[in-house]
């Protein structure tokens, strides 16, 4: 249910910001809605993927998942700065 609600928020933000953009909605509101929806979706996806490994491997899996996420974020920032 939470995944569906956050996906609906994401779709709303994309529709308001890119498809049906009107000057009546401030850009900061669209951006805030987009960031809120993406953060909530990220929490949902990490909660779901934390159930994949067995209990004794969960901490290592979560640590590796976090490291890959941060590496991808850093790589995206680096590529964007070029």
């Amino acid at each position: 249910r939470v995944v569906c609600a956050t996906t609906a928020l994401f779709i709303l933000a994309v529709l308001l910001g890119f498809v049906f953009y009107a000057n009546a909605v401030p850009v900061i509101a669209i951006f805030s809605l987009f960031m809120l929806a993406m953060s909530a979706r990220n929490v949902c996806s990490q909660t779901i993927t934390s159930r994949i490994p067995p209990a004794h491997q969960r901490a290592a899996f979560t640590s590796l998942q976090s490291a890959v996420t941060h590496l991808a974020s850093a790589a995206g920032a680096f590529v964007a700065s070029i």
Side-chain angles (χ1 to χ4, degrees), residues 46 49-50 53 57-69:
Q46 288 198 354
T49 58
S50 71
Q57 294 178 344
R58 192 165 294 144
F61 177 80
T62 306
S63 178
L64 180 64
Q65 184 181 27
S66 178
V68 170
T69 301

Side-chain angles (χ1 to χ4, degrees), residues 11-46:
I11 291 171
L12 178 66
V14 169
L15 287 176
L16 284 175
F18 297 105
V19 180
F20 304 115
Y21 180 71
N23 288 333
V25 181
V27 173
I28 192 73
I30 295 169
F31 178 74
S32 298
L33 180 64
F34 180 81
M35 293 303 287
L36 175 76
M38 290 308 294
S39 297
R41 289 185 70 204
N42 190 27
V43 168
C44 292
S45 68
Q46 288 198 354

Side-chain angles (χ1 to χ4, degrees), residues 73-82:
S73 179
F78 177 74
V79 170
S81 69
I82 295 177

